[in-house]
Amino acid sequence: MIEITDVKFTTVCNPDGSGFQCRCEEDFAWPLGNCNTYGNCSDIIDDTCGCINDIPPTGPFCQPKPPSLDFFEYIIDIEVNVSDISVVDQLKFLLGNVQFPLELNSMIEITDVNLTTVCFPDGSGFQCRCEEDFAWPLGNCNTYGNCSDIIDDTCGCINDIPPTGPFCQPKPPSLDFFEYIIDIEVNVSDISVVDQLKFLLGNVQFPLELNSMIEITDVNLTTVCFPDGSGFQCRCEEDFAWPLGNCNTYGNCSDIIDDTCGCINDIPPTGPFCQPKPPSLDFFEYIIEIEVNVSDISVVEQLRLLLGTVHFPLELNSLIEIPDVNLTTVCFPDGSGFQCRCEEDFAWPLGNCNTYGNCSDIIDDTCGCINDIPPSGPFCQPKPLVTTPPSPTTMPVSTPNVTITTAQTTPFTDLTITPAQPTPSSGSTTPRFTTRGPYVTITTAQTTLFTAAPMSSTPSLSTPRPISTPSTNGFTPLTKTGSTPKTQTHPSLSTPMTTDRPTQTPTPNMKTNQTSRAISKPKQTTTPILSDSNTPTPITPPQTTGRPAEFELKMSFTINQDFTESLTDPTSADYKGLSQTISNAVDENYRKIMRGYIGVTITGFRSGSVITDFIIMTDNITSSVIQTANAGVATTLKQQNIPVDENSFRAAVIEDGFSDNVVERDSGEYECFVEDEIVVFIRKDNIAVRRAIVMLARSRINVPCITENVEVECCVKPDGFPTMWTENGKKLEPVQESTVNGLKCYKHNYATNTQNDGCVTRSLICTMTVGDRTFTQKAEINFFQGQSDCDDDVYGSGKQGSLSTTGCPEGYEGNRTARCDSNTWKLVEDNCVLSVIIDLKIQSEILTKDDVSDFVDRLSKVTKEQEKEIVDSPGNIVTIVEILANVANASEAVTQKVMANFLETVDVLIADETEQSWDLLNENNNTRNTSADLLGSVEIIADVLSEEDFSISTSLIELRKTKFSDTFSTEFNSTAQIFIPDPQLNGIAQITTIRFLGLDNVLPPRNITSSNNTINGAVLLVNTNVTITNVSLSFEITNTSETLGNPQCVFWNFTLFDTEGGWDSTGCTVQSSGNESVTCVCNHLTSFSILMSPFIPPEIRLLLDFITYIGVGISMGSLVLCLIIEAFVWTVVARNDTSYMRHVAIVNTALSLLIANIWFIIGAAISDIDQKTPVGPCSAATFFIHFFYLALFFWMLISGLLLFHRMVMVFSDMSRATLMVIAFSIGYGAPLIIAVITVAVTAPQDGYFRQNDACWLNWFQTKALLAFVIPALTIVAINFLILIVVLYKVLRRGVGENQPDEKNALVVIARCVAFLTPFFGLTWGFGIGTMVDPESVGIHIVFAVLNSLQGFFVLLFGTLLDSRIRAAIAGRFSFIHTSSNRTRSTSAGPSSSSGVGLFRRHRRDAYHVSEAMSSSHSAGASESFLNT
């Protein structure tokens, strides 16, 4: 039931410095009440205005303009016949009492009634007399005879009634205006009064009305005279001058220019009054080439005859004349090709004669005939010394060329058009330029147009003529032929471009009263001709987008007042006030009459009186409109006492990015057309576009202070342009030139002269000059004292902390910077970018939506081909990210093919091989936002996908584009899941989901709460065209290391960290988490992932590493010492089977633990926490650590079984060989079987070792760690049971039944089993505790301490606390064996404080073991578990 019929913009309010201005859009206006209440800033028309100076309380809403009614005015003549003259008086009285206008009805009103004529008989006929304000025209007065005086070609009475009726006509209003110039002489004694007078006049608004009949239109300060010692000097103010006669008579004290001077040396008797300067007239010359195709050679003669009958100069109108037309060339087929013959006074240059072959004699380096048509056109040149150079007052009359070709050729004619004495004030002197088809503009330091003349024209046109004061804007439309030119709205200025082409003759706008049109017409061609000219000019391909182009119309005008320094400061009150006043005036006048006007910006003020520069943004340019608007601006400003020179307005069209956004592939032939109703001006040119490249071999150089010479080298491309080295503006010579890899190189051996100038930093500049542009690079030479700390062939020498910058390898552009650190140059910044990537970046900056598909296809191919170079280069990555951003911004309705190429490019950037490059980028403050830009580009282009459903899969990225209307769910190969429950949609919605597996290498894990995080899952991008407030996301944990925990559900927030971006958990919560996955719930859509942080803080982990490595070192040293001692005393202590087996067990225990520790060090060296571990090396380290740690426990089991066998199974005797076989089978065989089975079961599942942690058995995926924990703890339990049984047996019967040596061995074995087995078990019990409670710092520290000291305890309990080993050591170093025995005997005794020692003392009487036995074996009888 409801529809919106129309939507219109009504009002735009903007601040104007002191408040607001509210302007109405078209068809809307403010009522008269608002105009009066708030002040109108535009004219009041029909009781409405278009602008007011405030925002009304009722709101900024302009009202629709009332519909315009067509009014028609009728003049009705009524003739009244009366017989009594008194009736006339009564009629006058009656009409005098009527109030007009008199409304008859709502549609008709009488505006006025006048009595015009009274006719009455005079005897012989009639006299018709006019009433006041009416009269008879002169024709009636003469025809019918006047009976009153004729005044101003009218009379008040005639002697008849005209046939047309007795109706006098209204008298024309007679207003006599007289203009007086009043010269006022003011005598002052203080020169400051002059400045005060200038200031006073500057604040007066002119015209100044004195009364209803008199007004002062302007007041100018013309002359200032002051004494100069010998007389007076009279100087003229701006726009005034002394005539040449005064300059000669009284002597000039300034230069004579244009027959005037600005200063004379006396006061003339006629008074000190300088005269206004005469207006300057601008003359412009154009050469027109006309090509005529004829099939009959007689036409040439007819053309000659026709031209011979024309009198030149030929005036086309009051402003344009043709001074001459010449037939220059006739080309005709000669059988094998063409011959081109020159007409009289014309000839071919020697170069053409040699290139194409002369068919006439060569005279004075010219010939009259050649055997081909040159590509530049069939245009013979004027013979030398036939033209007159141009002068300031007369235009050169050149000899334009006409080329006639017969058969199917095309002749050309040149017309020289010279304006004939234009009138500067004429409103029809400025041509109006509009556009047809695509176009661009040429801009240099001044507004420049290319003439439509051949490249080698007459001498008067071969040299550029500078433009000082072009009368209005001008531009040259160009169209590249053979391709589709492009442009963009926001170009990058990073890569300068030049075009190789001859310098053209700058030509301002022609003044003509014809309407001119600028059109561009493409011509099909595919082979560009490269010019080798040394004066290139910037050029840009035109814009072909469907929307209107926005132009920057650069303009300026002069204000006739003194320039002050305050106008250079944009913050000053003078600058702000003048800028605002001018801006308002320009906006008011341009907005009224210029269709497509957008806005104005004041860019600054310059000296020369006051020159105001401003830019008008518009999408439509018409010169006549600009001229009218400029006149309005001048009038408005003059009304505000700003003395604008209305003839000083200048304009030039500038198109954004014109001179910098072309690429080499835009080379080709371009054409320019400018036409009016009479003639068409054509310019064709082949333009070869090349990038200007200036590179230094080394830009930051470090040398010792004693160095006398430093070699600097600069390479440029293209060659052929002036290039030099300078220091402080002084050219450095000599320079050695060479060509390297297609670059022109300039090498200079710089003399440091440190003895005189000291060891201060030097800056040398390499400059390449291209036309009026320069391209520079700076080389910096730093000096240091003493010997260098770093020195190599790439970065040279330097001290610690020095920076050195060098160039890039072949095929790259940019530089690399390294820092001297620990006697080595270390790369800190790599800005080298492949040249092919730079070319793509330049192309991307002028990309349009129509070109995206082909461009992205090329980009994808290049990144694949250069993948190895790209992944290792941060500079390449940054540049490609910028390219992708440009592609995303230019894209619309992206198809599957385009998106696939886009993602394939991204796939290269996020590969694992790029991790190191991204680390450098994320650490550099200048490139920290690159990763966010990459993700942002993907989000932008994902938002503009076409409506079709499709899916794309690369090695690291998977995209799905589909539609849904109800619950949505999708899964990405178990790595991630998305679930949107019941979104309550009113229709069908589109959804795009993208899963990234490599963005953890790209995006830094920073968030607002902690920087110690890890991205521990895939990154999911979810985009829909509807609002979703509930989405569930499940992520598989990629790093299942027990060192990571505390999962957070996060999304990438581009606004964090000053728009560098970071992870943010706002709106997302963890729903559930486990060892392998995390489920999140969020209330919005964007790019998601999960962050996890280490359980153990980094500082605590560092402490644990410190404890571990020191402890392992002590442990390994203890084990080596243990093995040395065992070898040293082996023959002494291993005398019986029990002792032998006991020492075999302790040696293998120590050896297993030592080898396990060695592999532990190896595993730590090849792995890194939170980093992916290498498969091969880490698998080997894990296997051997597992195997030898198991062997450690199994040899402890051997010790326990040996104790059990000797204490319990006393009568079961086995040979030593049998014991050895059993021991080694169990000690190494069982661990080997367990280790091999573990590998076989878990390795195929990639779950043998930890993927992102130390080289050790996996726990989370396969529970492979149980293959160590279960055997180890089982052995601990078995040995504990054996100890219980042994203690029970000892308490029952003691150990006295065994031999002394055997008793000692059994006691030591029992001690080792009693202490080492619990110790090992306790250690690995805490190890299990670290998995059960990974956040407990205390358990980690205890485990690290116990685990690192196992070797020391093996040495202590297995070797050092054995009295027989100590005795054997002492015996090896003693020559008195008995003394040694005595020492060992007396060392025995009840010295232990352990519970077992207490038991020995309690049972001593039952065994009657003597402590005074002299045998070397007696000590064993009294040995306790801890006795030494």
Side-chain angles (χ1 to χ4, degrees):
M1 299 300 291
I2 300 175
E3 66 176 10
I4 299 174
T5 58
D6 201 1
V7 175
K8 291 184 177 180
F9 282 98
T10 65
T11 317
V12 176
C13 295
N14 56 288
D16 65 344
S18 61
F20 282 82
Q21 278 194 352
C22 291
R23 292 186 176 274
C24 300
E25 295 294 298
E26 192 176 0
D27 297 328
F28 292 84
W30 291 109
L32 182 61
N34 289 38
C35 302
N36 294 331
T37 302
Y38 305 107
N40 57 299
C41 42
S42 69
D43 295 336
I44 297 177
I45 301 172
D46 294 334
D47 291 339
T48 64
C49 63
C51 174
I52 61 175
N53 291 314
D54 205 346
I55 301 176
T58 56
F61 307 115
C62 295
Q63 305 301 313
K65 290 182 179 178
S68 60
L69 300 177
D70 295 327
F71 292 94
F72 303 95
E73 184 177 72
Y74 298 89
I75 297 178
I76 302 174
D77 295 327
I78 301 175
E79 185 176 341
V80 180
N81 293 317
V82 298
S83 59
D84 187 359
I85 193 66
S86 64
V87 177
V88 176
D89 295 329
Q90 295 174 10
L91 184 59
K92 290 179 181 178
F93 178 81
L94 177 65
L95 293 176
N97 292 326
V98 178
Q99 290 184 343
F100 295 95
L102 177 63
E103 186 172 306
L104 301 183
N105 56 42
S106 61
M107 301 298 293
I108 302 174
E109 70 178 11
I110 299 173
T111 57
D112 203 0
V113 174
N114 290 303
L115 196 64
T116 66
T117 317
V118 175
C119 296
F120 53 88
D122 66 341
S124 60
F126 281 86
Q127 277 193 354
C128 289
R129 292 188 175 273
C130 299
E131 294 294 300
E132 190 177 1
D133 298 326
F134 290 85
W136 291 109
L138 181 62
N140 289 33
C141 300
N142 294 331
T143 301
Y144 305 106
N146 57 299
C147 45
S148 68
D149 295 335
I150 297 177
I151 301 172
D152 294 333
D153 292 337
T154 64
C155 62
C157 175
I158 60 176
N159 292 313
D160 205 348
I161 300 175
T164 55
F167 307 118
C168 294
Q169 305 301 314
K171 288 182 180 179
S174 61
L175 296 177
D176 295 328
F177 293 97
F178 303 96
E179 182 178 74
Y180 297 89
I181 297 176
I182 301 174
D183 296 327
I184 301 175
E185 183 175 342
V186 180
N187 294 319
V188 298
S189 58
D190 186 0
I191 193 65
S192 64
V193 175
V194 177
D195 294 329
Q196 295 173 10
L197 183 59
K198 289 179 182 177
F199 178 80
L200 177 64
L201 294 176
N203 291 326
V204 178
Q205 291 186 344
F206 293 97
L208 178 62
E209 187 171 297
L210 302 183
N211 54 46
S212 61
M213 300 299 290
I214 302 175
E215 69 176 11
I216 299 174
T217 56
D218 203 1
V219 175
N220 290 307
L221 198 62
T222 64
T223 318
V224 176
C225 296
F226 51 91
D228 66 342
S230 60
F232 282 84
Q233 276 194 354
C234 290
R235 291 189 175 274
C236 301
E237 293 295 295
E238 190 175 5
D239 297 325
F240 292 84
W242 291 109
L244 182 61
N246 290 37
C247 302
N248 294 332
T249 302
Y250 305 107
N252 58 299
C253 43
S254 68
D255 295 337
I256 297 178
I257 300 172
D258 294 333
D259 291 336
T260 63
C261 62
C263 174
I264 59 174
N265 292 314
D266 205 347
I267 301 176
T270 55
F273 307 119
C274 294
Q275 304 303 312
K277 290 182 179 178
S280 59
L281 300 177
D282 295 328
F283 296 92
F284 307 103
E285 180 181 81
Y286 297 86
I287 294 180
I288 311 298
E289 298 166 351
I290 301 175
E291 182 176 348
V292 181
N293 291 321
V294 298
S295 58
D296 186 0
I297 193 64
S298 64
V299 176
V300 177
E301 299 300 328
Q302 295 174 11
L303 184 58
R304 285 195 184 103
L305 179 61
L306 177 63
L307 293 177
T309 61
V310 179
H311 293 285
F312 295 97
L314 176 63
E315 185 171 305
L316 301 183
N317 54 45
S318 61
L319 292 172
I320 301 176
E321 69 177 12
I322 300 175
D324 205 359
V325 175
N326 288 305
L327 200 62
T328 65
T329 317
V330 176
C331 295
F332 52 90
D334 65 343
S336 58
F338 282 85
Q339 277 193 356
C340 290
R341 292 188 175 274
C342 301
E343 294 293 295
E344 189 178 1
D345 297 327
F346 291 84
W348 291 108
L350 182 61
N352 289 36
C353 302
N354 294 332
T355 302
Y356 306 105
N358 57 298
C359 43
S360 68
D361 295 337
I362 296 178
I363 302 172
D364 295 332
D365 290 338
T366 64
C367 62
C369 175
I370 60 174
N371 291 315
D372 205 348
I373 301 177
S376 57
F379 306 118
C380 294
Q381 306 302 312
K383 289 182 180 179
L385 304 177
V386 296
T387 57
T388 303
S391 67
T393 58
T394 61
M395 295 301 298
V397 179
S398 65
T399 310
N401 308 326
V402 177
T403 300
I404 303 298
T405 58
T406 60
Q408 299 301 317
T409 60
T410 305
F412 283 78
T413 300
D414 285 357
L415 296 179
T416 302
I417 298 182
T418 304
Q421 303 298 326
T423 304
S425 61
S426 173
S428 61
T429 60
T430 305
R432 182 170 65 251
F433 283 76
T434 59
T435 61
R436 183 169 75 228
Y439 62 90
V440 299
T441 61
I442 302 293
T443 62
T444 62
Q446 298 171 329
T447 304
T448 303
L449 293 181
F450 295 119
T451 63
M455 295 183 186
S456 53
S457 184
T458 61
S460 64
L461 292 176
S462 61
T463 304
R465 183 172 61 225
I467 303 170
S468 58
T469 56
S471 61
T472 183
N473 69 300
F475 58 90
T476 299
L478 293 180
T479 294
K480 179 186 174 183
T481 61
S483 65
T484 302
K486 313 169 186 68
T487 188
Q488 72 162 20
T489 304
H490 304 289
S492 169
L493 302 179
S494 60
T495 307
M497 306 296 299
T498 66
T499 56
D500 289 352
R501 56 168 297 138
T503 301
Q504 306 298 322
T505 305
T507 308
N509 296 348
M510 59 180 179
K511 288 193 175 184
T512 174
N513 60 359
Q514 302 295 329
T515 299
S516 301
R517 299 188 303 277
I519 59 172
S520 60
K521 177 181 177 183
K523 171 184 173 184
Q524 295 301 321
T525 181
T526 57
T527 307
I529 301 174
L530 303 182
S531 170
D532 58 357
S533 169
N534 292 334
T535 314
T537 303
I539 192 74
T540 284
Q543 174 179 344
T544 58
T545 55
R547 63 181 179 79
E550 292 183 4
F551 300 100
E552 284 189 2
L553 183 60
K554 278 194 172 183
M555 302 193 66
S556 67
F557 63 82
T558 301
I559 302 174
N560 295 324
Q561 65 184 38
D562 290 341
F563 185 82
T564 61
E565 288 301 319
S566 62
L567 293 178
T568 63
D569 181 9
T571 62
S572 69
D574 290 345
Y575 185 103
K576 290 180 179 179
L578 186 58
S579 174
Q580 186 62 50
T581 302
I582 295 174
S583 178
N584 292 342
V586 173
D587 190 81
E588 176 183 346
N589 287 277
Y590 271 83
R591 191 176 296 277
K592 284 193 298 186
I593 66 171
M594 175 177 275
R595 181 175 57 85
Y597 172 79
I598 297 172
V600 61
T601 301
I602 306 298
T603 57
F605 301 99
R606 294 179 283 128
S607 62
S609 295
V610 177
I611 300 176
T612 303
D613 296 320
F614 59 99
I615 294 176
I616 289 178
M617 293 300 298
T618 178
D619 60 20
N620 181 272
I621 293 179
T622 306
S623 294
S624 60
V625 171
I626 294 173
Q627 188 179 35
T628 303
N630 288 345
V633 171
T635 301
T636 301
L637 292 177
K638 285 182 177 180
Q639 291 173 354
Q640 300 181 51
N641 295 327
I642 297 178
V644 175
D645 182 356
E646 60 186 18
N647 295 319
S648 66
F649 282 84
R650 304 289 180 263
V653 180
I654 310 294
E655 180 171 306
D656 278 343
F658 164 71
S659 61
D660 294 285
N661 280 335
V662 291
V663 292
E664 295 185 32
R665 62 193 296 265
D666 290 312
S667 298
E669 185 178 81
Y670 287 79
E671 293 183 353
C672 166
F673 290 74
V674 180
E675 69 175 16
D676 64 12
E677 296 178 358
I678 299 175
V679 68
V680 178
F681 306 85
I682 305 173
R683 177 72 198 187
K684 302 177 184 178
D685 209 349
N686 289 293
I687 299 176
V689 182
R690 308 185 199 171
R691 280 194 300 117
I693 301 174
V694 180
M695 297 190 300
L696 302 182
R698 294 175 63 194
S699 55
R700 189 183 280 118
I701 306 170
N702 304 282
V703 295
C705 193
I706 60 174
T707 304
E708 296 181 356
N709 294 284
V710 178
E711 186 177 82
V712 291
E713 185 176 17
C714 172
C715 297
V716 302
K717 184 178 180 181
D719 61 358
F721 300 110
T723 303
M724 62 181 176
W725 279 101
T726 60
E727 181 184 22
N728 298 326
K730 181 181 179 182
K731 185 177 181 180
L732 299 177
E733 292 180 329
V735 174
Q736 180 182 351
E737 299 183 11
S738 61
T739 301
V740 180
N741 298 326
L743 299 174
K744 187 72 171 180
C745 296
Y746 300 82
K747 188 181 297 183
H748 173 68
N749 199 21
Y750 175 73
T752 59
N753 197 21
T754 55
Q755 293 182 348
N756 297 327
D757 299 336
C759 296
V760 296
T761 299
R762 314 292 172 81
S763 294
L764 311 183
I765 307 295
C766 177
T767 303
M768 178 175 71
T769 303
V770 181
D772 59 353
R773 299 186 63 182
T774 58
F775 304 92
T776 63
Q777 288 287 348
K778 182 176 75 172
E780 184 179 276
I781 303 176
N782 300 303
F783 297 92
F784 60 84
Q785 301 287 347
Q787 297 294 322
S788 62
D789 297 324
C790 299
D791 197 351
D792 65 20
D793 294 336
V794 178
Y795 295 103
S797 59
K799 299 290 285 185
Q800 176 73 19
S802 298
L803 293 176
S804 177
T805 303
T806 184
C808 300
E810 181 182 359
Y812 286 79
E813 298 177 29
N815 56 54
R816 289 174 175 165
T817 300
R819 177 181 285 108
C820 180
D821 187 6
S822 303
N823 299 325
T824 303
W825 288 109
K826 295 182 179 179
L827 184 67
V828 295
E829 190 170 358
D830 185 355
N831 296 320
C832 290
V833 182
L834 288 164
S835 297
V836 65
I837 300 296
I838 293 179
D839 289 338
L840 287 172
K841 180 178 182 294
I842 297 171
Q843 295 174 34
S844 72
E845 291 170 348
I846 56 175
L847 200 61
T848 65
K849 61 184 180 64
D850 298 327
D851 304 316
V852 167
S853 179
D854 292 338
F855 178 82
V856 177
D857 183 58
R858 291 199 308 273
L859 176 63
S860 176
K861 290 177 181 177
V862 169
T863 52
K864 290 177 182 177
E865 293 169 358
Q866 306 291 339
E867 180 173 1
K868 186 178 184 303
E869 288 76 13
I870 290 173
V871 298
D872 295 331
S873 169
N876 282 325
I877 291 176
V878 170
T879 306
I880 295 178
V881 170
E882 293 174 353
I883 293 173
L884 292 175
N886 292 335
V887 170
N889 290 326
S891 297
E892 293 180 13
V894 176
T895 62
Q896 180 177 1
K897 177 185 176 183
V898 172
M899 194 62 182
N901 287 325
F902 188 93
L903 293 182
E904 286 173 359
T905 302
V906 177
D907 203 68
V908 173
L909 300 185
I910 65 175
D912 290 342
E913 293 79 6
T914 64
E915 183 174 3
Q916 185 175 0
S917 296
W918 281 110
D919 288 342
L920 287 174
L921 293 174
N922 289 328
E923 291 170 2
N924 191 320
N925 290 333
N926 297 325
T927 57
R928 283 168 58 90
N929 61 340
T930 303
S931 54
D933 291 343
L934 176 61
L935 181 61
S937 299
V938 178
E939 289 196 4
I940 291 173
I941 199 169
D943 196 43
V944 292
L945 296 180
S946 62
E947 295 187 359
E948 59 182 303
D949 292 351
F950 57 82
S951 62
I952 300 171
S953 181
T954 68
S955 59
L956 296 173
I957 305 172
E958 186 171 356
L959 177 145
R960 296 174 186 173
K961 170 76 166 55
T962 186
K963 300 179 181 68
F964 73 106
S965 59
D966 203 345
T967 299
F968 174 82
S969 178
T970 187
E971 180 177 355
F972 294 93
N973 298 330
S974 301
T975 58
Q977 281 184 308
I978 303 172
F979 177 69
I980 302 177
D982 190 18
Q984 297 182 352
L985 302 176
N986 294 325
I988 297 177
Q990 298 188 20
I991 184 169
T992 302
T993 56
I994 307 178
R995 182 215 57 188
F996 303 89
L997 291 182
L999 279 184
D1000 56 328
N1001 297 326
V1002 177
L1003 296 170
R1006 58 177 177 251
N1007 67 356
I1008 56 177
T1009 58
S1010 172
S1011 60
N1012 186 31
N1013 296 310
T1014 299
I1015 302 173
N1016 208 13
V1019 175
L1020 281 179
L1021 190 158
V1022 186
N1023 180 282
T1024 69
N1025 60 347
V1026 295
T1027 301
I1028 300 297
T1029 58
N1030 184 18
V1031 59
S1032 176
L1033 307 152
S1034 294
F1035 299 90
E1036 181 186 31
I1037 297 175
T1038 55
N1039 178 7
T1040 56
S1041 167
E1042 69 272 10
T1043 61
L1044 295 177
N1046 308 317
Q1048 303 175 61
C1049 296
V1050 291
F1051 71 96
W1052 187 263
N1053 188 339
F1054 290 92
T1055 63
L1056 293 181
F1057 303 106
D1058 294 330
T1059 70
E1060 289 179 356
W1063 294 105
D1064 191 351
S1065 60
T1066 304
C1068 293
T1069 58
V1070 177
Q1071 188 179 52
S1072 64
S1073 63
N1075 294 329
E1076 299 182 357
S1077 66
V1078 174
T1079 300
C1080 305
V1081 175
C1082 298
N1083 60 10
H1084 56 85
L1085 297 182
T1086 182
S1087 298
F1088 302 95
S1089 190
I1090 55 172
L1091 293 181
M1092 298 182 74
S1093 56
F1095 287 119
I1096 305 301
E1099 56 274 12
I1100 301 299
R1101 177 171 290 174
L1102 182 64
L1103 174 63
L1104 294 176
D1105 291 342
F1106 184 76
I1107 294 172
T1108 298
Y1109 287 114
I1110 291 180
V1112 168
I1114 296 173
S1115 178
M1116 293 175 66
S1118 300
L1119 293 171
V1120 171
L1121 181 61
C1122 176
L1123 294 175
I1124 292 173
I1125 292 174
E1126 288 291 337
F1128 190 67
V1129 300
W1130 183 266
T1131 57
V1132 176
V1133 297
R1135 294 183 176 180
N1136 57 60
D1137 290 346
T1138 303
S1139 295
Y1140 184 85
M1141 291 304 300
R1142 179 281 227 232
H1143 285 284
V1144 168
I1146 201 66
V1147 166
N1148 281 281
T1149 299
L1151 184 63
S1152 296
L1153 184 56
L1154 176 62
I1155 297 175
N1157 284 339
I1158 292 173
W1159 276 104
F1160 171 80
I1161 297 297
I1162 295 174
I1166 62 178
S1167 64
D1168 191 8
I1169 299 297
D1170 298 333
Q1171 302 296 324
K1172 191 172 181 64
T1173 49
V1175 176
C1178 204
S1179 296
T1182 302
F1183 176 82
F1184 286 111
I1185 293 173
H1186 183 205
F1187 171 72
F1188 284 106
Y1189 269 132
L1190 281 177
L1192 165 70
F1193 277 93
F1194 274 96
W1195 278 107
M1196 290 303 301
L1197 177 62
I1198 295 299
S1199 297
L1201 293 176
L1202 180 62
L1203 179 64
F1204 181 79
H1205 177 263
R1206 291 304 186 190
M1207 292 295 293
V1208 177
M1209 304 172 66
V1210 179
F1211 301 103
S1212 177
D1213 195 12
M1214 287 184 288
S1215 65
R1216 180 178 295 183
T1218 303
L1219 291 173
M1220 288 292 288
V1221 170
I1222 295 173
F1224 276 89
S1225 297
I1226 296 175
Y1228 292 115
L1232 181 62
I1233 293 172
I1234 296 173
V1236 170
I1237 292 175
T1238 303
V1239 173
V1241 172
T1242 61
Q1245 309 174 40
D1246 292 330
Y1248 179 50
F1249 59 88
R1250 305 180 184 187
Q1251 301 295 321
N1252 297 87
D1253 205 342
C1255 292
W1256 185 226
L1257 295 171
N1258 193 294
W1259 170 251
F1260 289 105
Q1261 279 84 10
T1262 60
K1263 302 296 188 289
L1265 186 59
L1266 293 176
F1268 170 74
V1269 172
I1270 292 176
L1273 296 185
T1274 300
I1275 291 172
V1276 170
I1278 293 174
N1279 280 359
F1280 184 70
L1281 293 175
I1282 290 174
L1283 280 176
I1284 294 176
V1285 172
V1286 168
L1287 284 174
Y1288 177 75
K1289 294 293 290 183
V1290 168
L1291 292 173
R1292 287 285 306 274
R1293 61 182 178 85
V1295 294
E1297 298 153 352
N1298 300 88
Q1299 296 296 323
D1301 281 349
E1302 186 174 357
K1303 292 176 183 177
N1304 178 74
L1306 291 174
V1307 170
V1308 174
I1309 292 172
R1311 183 172 59 229
C1312 288
V1313 171
F1315 284 92
L1316 291 182
T1317 298
F1319 177 75
F1320 290 153
L1322 183 64
T1323 298
W1324 288 102
F1326 278 104
I1328 296 174
T1330 61
M1331 292 182 292
V1332 175
D1333 187 11
E1335 300 182 38
S1336 174
V1337 176
I1339 293 178
H1340 279 277
I1341 293 176
V1342 172
F1343 174 69
V1345 172
L1346 296 178
N1347 190 44
S1348 61
L1349 297 177
Q1350 291 179 99
F1352 173 74
F1353 282 103
V1354 169
L1355 172 66
L1356 179 65
F1357 291 105
T1359 301
L1360 297 182
L1361 293 182
D1362 187 346
S1363 59
R1364 289 194 177 274
I1365 292 178
R1366 294 199 306 275
I1369 293 172
R1372 288 284 188 181
F1373 292 100
S1374 174
F1375 294 102
I1376 305 173
H1377 183 60
T1378 57
S1379 176
S1380 176
N1381 288 340
R1382 189 177 302 113
T1383 301
R1384 288 198 309 273
S1385 176
T1386 58
S1387 67
S1391 61
S1392 176
S1393 61
S1394 68
V1396 179
L1398 179 62
F1399 162 75
R1400 183 189 65 78
R1401 292 194 298 272
H1402 178 74
R1403 297 284 296 171
R1404 181 165 46 186
D1405 294 340
Y1407 289 95
H1408 304 286
V1409 178
S1410 173
E1411 296 182 1
M1413 294 177 62
S1414 60
S1415 171
S1416 63
H1417 306 294
S1418 64
S1422 60
E1423 187 84 14
S1424 72
F1425 285 164
L1426 289 179
N1427 189 22
T1428 57

